[in-house]
Amino acid sequence: MSGFVHSVGGQTWRFDSLREVMAKASPARSGDRLAGVAAGSDAERVAAQMALADIPLKHFLDEALIPYESDEVTRLIIDSHDRQAFAAVSHLTVGGLRDWLLGDAADEASLRALAPGLTPEMAAAVSKIMRVQDLVLVAQKIRVVTRFRNTMGLRGRMSTRLQPNHPTDDPAGIAASVLDGLLYGNGDAMLGINPATDSLQSICTLLEMLDAIIQRYEIPTQSCVLTHVTSSIEAINRGAPLDLVFQSIAGTEAANASFGVNLAILKEGYEAGLSQKRGTLGDNLMYFETGQGSALSANAHHGVDQQTCETRAYAVARHFKPFLVNTVVGFIGPEYLYNGKQIIRAGLEDHFCAKLLGVPMGCDICYTNHAEADQDDMDMLLTLLGVAGINFIMGIPGSDDVMLNYQTTSFHDALYARQTLGLRPAPEFEAWLARMEILRQQDGRVQMAGQLPGAFRHALAQLS
């Protein structure tokens, strides 16, 4: 196939490559315009979407968006592709895949079986021709369940990462935030700190502090300090109590190089984490963060649109059987996702594509202070993702991260989503919350107990 042609309103549009038709079919966003790959008009975008819908899925196995020879992520995608799993949809076009996904034949079991047969580019392509309700409908069918010290991703459950960041890594400030979050039922996905410094001593101190809290109160959760994977490896070598191994990842080899990682380094971190044997229910232990625009910001996108680059990162993630993955959707800024509308669409795309590929996806529902977005936009995305079956979200004091200086979701936001949508914490953590008299079930919904649990009165007194 030498190109793709479609006519709209009497005008014929030609797209010379799969990379071009994918980029121009993308819903409008500032990052693609910045990269010079976006459609020049709404008419061209519609023509690209209609041309994309007619492309056979098999074509994605014949035309790599980034050459196999020059990109290890492309090699991973092609070499790990499961043709037997792909056989169920191999006769379809992109549009045909959309129709199949929306139908009753695409249930939880069939979607789980299909995941290894889809490439990220196929998932990205079908997302580009789907409405918001389509992205929600299909994603809520899919469950990706993982285990470490508790169980993530079960139907009817929504977990939270308790994020007690502090601008100076002050232990008392972090402990106060942890206590606040636990009292709202946050923290079943993990207790996870973005450290203010890269000091290995500080990282080890934070890991020891979080582990002490988990052990003292027998909390069925896990901890993570979001440092570079090589620092995590060194912390493990020093005997630090490290549960989850973190790393930011992207969808191209060059973008990952800008993070100081490649597949070999990630494998080393994965194996170091496994050597700890700290999981009690399972050995899913990697934690990855992604976000649309990271490849473009590193000038490492190869002319591929930002949403497709993002989806390629999920091939990297699933290769290491992660416990958690999340898109930090609005964190990079308005240069990539300009306003609330673009952030909402991107968050739903990322969640849909990741789940379709078998990745345990969460979302940091967030925006920067110079974006054309506000907390109402985040409420809309939070609610939509809750309906769509998100694995986890963030919980941060007052929804304002005082260390990273961006706006996200608060401890109370998680309680809102659980109460409104009838969602519950991870089962092991839910039992602990009930035992500690923090939350209770009333008519099948989560409620606060209405009193300060005796187990935490002493802890609060120590902080004051």
Side-chain angles (χ1 to χ4, degrees):
M1 218 179 271
S2 59
F4 309 94
V5 178
H6 206 91
S7 297
V8 174
Q11 183 173 358
T12 299
W13 302 88
R14 180 182 180 85
F15 309 98
D16 293 331
S17 66
L18 184 58
R19 180 169 53 195
E20 182 183 6
V21 74
M22 289 273 284
K24 292 189 173 179
S26 293
R29 62 205 57 196
S30 52
D32 289 339
R33 179 176 290 185
L34 179 64
V37 301
S41 65
D42 289 339
E44 185 180 20
R45 180 174 297 107
V46 170
Q49 289 172 340
M50 295 177 77
L52 181 61
D54 290 337
I55 297 174
L57 292 177
K58 288 180 179 177
H59 184 78
F60 287 81
L61 302 177
D62 298 328
E63 183 179 349
L65 301 191
I66 302 173
Y68 181 94
E69 297 76 16
S70 61
D71 187 272
E72 69 172 0
V73 178
T74 298
R75 293 194 291 274
L76 175 66
I77 291 168
I78 298 301
D79 295 348
S80 63
H81 180 246
D82 187 333
R83 289 185 176 268
Q84 185 174 352
F86 178 59
V89 297
S90 62
H91 61 291
L92 297 176
T93 62
V94 173
L97 177 60
R98 173 186 178 273
D99 293 341
W100 183 83
L101 290 170
L102 293 171
D104 292 336
D107 57 16
E108 186 172 342
S110 61
L111 289 167
R112 184 183 304 112
L114 176 62
L118 293 178
T119 67
E121 291 84 353
M122 293 175 192
V126 74
S127 76
K128 296 177 190 297
I129 61 169
M130 299 179 84
R131 293 171 56 184
V132 161
Q133 66 174 250
D134 299 339
L135 298 172
V136 172
L137 174 61
V138 177
Q140 63 83 30
K141 299 181 184 184
I142 305 169
R143 287 297 177 272
V144 182
V145 178
T146 59
R147 293 176 175 87
F148 189 73
R149 289 207 192 98
N150 55 23
T151 308
M152 293 289 109
L154 295 171
R155 187 170 297 278
R157 309 276 178 171
M158 186 194 75
S159 298
T160 65
R161 169 190 161 189
L162 201 170
Q163 185 170 316
N165 293 348
H166 192 279
T168 63
D169 289 341
D170 177 65
I174 291 171
S177 293
V178 169
L179 176 61
D180 189 20
L182 290 172
L183 290 174
Y184 276 95
N186 285 251
D188 47 344
M190 66 167 162
L191 310 182
I193 300 172
N194 297 88
T197 74
D198 288 329
S199 160
L200 197 60
Q201 181 58 53
S202 176
I203 290 163
C204 291
T205 298
L206 292 174
L207 286 168
E208 290 164 0
M209 173 188 175
L210 292 178
D211 186 62
I213 293 171
I214 290 171
Q215 298 303 325
R216 177 176 179 179
Y217 296 107
E218 300 179 330
I219 308 172
T221 190
Q222 37 284 317
S223 67
C224 183
V225 173
L226 281 67
T227 187
H228 195 270
V229 61
T230 55
S231 296
S232 292
I233 293 169
E234 181 56 30
I236 289 171
N237 291 338
R238 293 189 181 190
L242 189 147
D243 293 335
L244 304 184
V245 178
F246 167 78
Q247 184 55 48
S248 292
I249 57 172
T252 73
E253 180 178 343
N256 282 323
S258 75
F259 291 142
V261 298
N262 54 36
L263 296 178
I265 292 173
L266 293 175
K267 181 181 179 182
E268 185 180 352
Y270 175 55
E271 291 175 347
L274 287 175
S275 73
Q276 296 282 82
K277 296 182 171 59
R278 292 179 61 82
T280 54
L281 297 183
D283 59 3
N284 301 117
L285 55 79
M286 298 299 285
Y287 172 45
F288 295 119
E289 287 191 342
T290 69
Q292 289 193 29
S294 58
L296 174 58
S297 68
N299 194 27
H301 59 99
H302 299 274
V304 177
D305 68 272
Q306 68 179 35
Q307 189 251 335
T308 302
C309 281
E310 164 72 6
T311 306
R312 283 168 54 92
Y314 307 152
V316 177
R318 72 177 174 180
H319 183 65
F320 295 102
K321 303 177 179 61
F323 182 63
L324 304 166
V325 179
N326 72 275
T327 168
V328 194
V329 65
F331 182 74
I332 303 181
E335 300 84 0
Y336 306 93
L337 295 169
Y338 179 71
N339 56 19
K341 181 180 177 67
Q342 292 186 9
I343 292 171
I344 290 169
R345 171 81 195 189
L348 294 170
E349 288 170 349
D350 295 350
H351 177 248
F352 163 84
C353 289
K355 287 289 187 66
L356 196 58
L357 294 168
V359 172
M361 197 64 167
C363 184
D364 190 343
I365 301 163
C366 64
Y367 62 101
T368 59
N369 290 311
H370 62 307
E372 290 293 323
D374 58 27
Q375 217 64 37
D376 286 343
D377 296 312
M378 301 306 103
D379 286 348
M380 285 188 280
L381 180 53
L382 168 61
T383 305
L384 287 165
L385 286 172
V387 175
I390 193 80
N391 275 33
F392 73 106
I393 63 168
M394 304 296 130
I396 294 176
S399 73
D400 181 8
D401 192 305
V402 296
M403 198 279 282
L404 293 174
N405 195 30
Y406 76 115
Q407 309 304 312
T408 179
T409 44
S410 71
F411 301 142
H412 184 270
D413 291 337
L415 186 63
Y416 146 76
R418 285 170 171 166
Q419 290 178 333
T420 304
L421 301 175
L423 301 171
R424 297 159 64 185
E428 302 85 357
F429 193 77
E430 180 182 52
W432 179 83
L433 291 171
R435 188 169 69 251
M436 300 296 286
E437 301 178 335
I438 294 173
L439 296 183
R440 64 188 177 195
Q441 291 291 318
Q442 183 72 31
D443 299 325
R445 294 180 183 272
V446 172
Q447 290 187 355
M448 296 184 71
Q451 60 182 1
L452 184 65
F456 285 132
R457 290 192 188 117
H458 177 63
L460 187 62
Q462 286 185 316
L463 291 170
S464 60

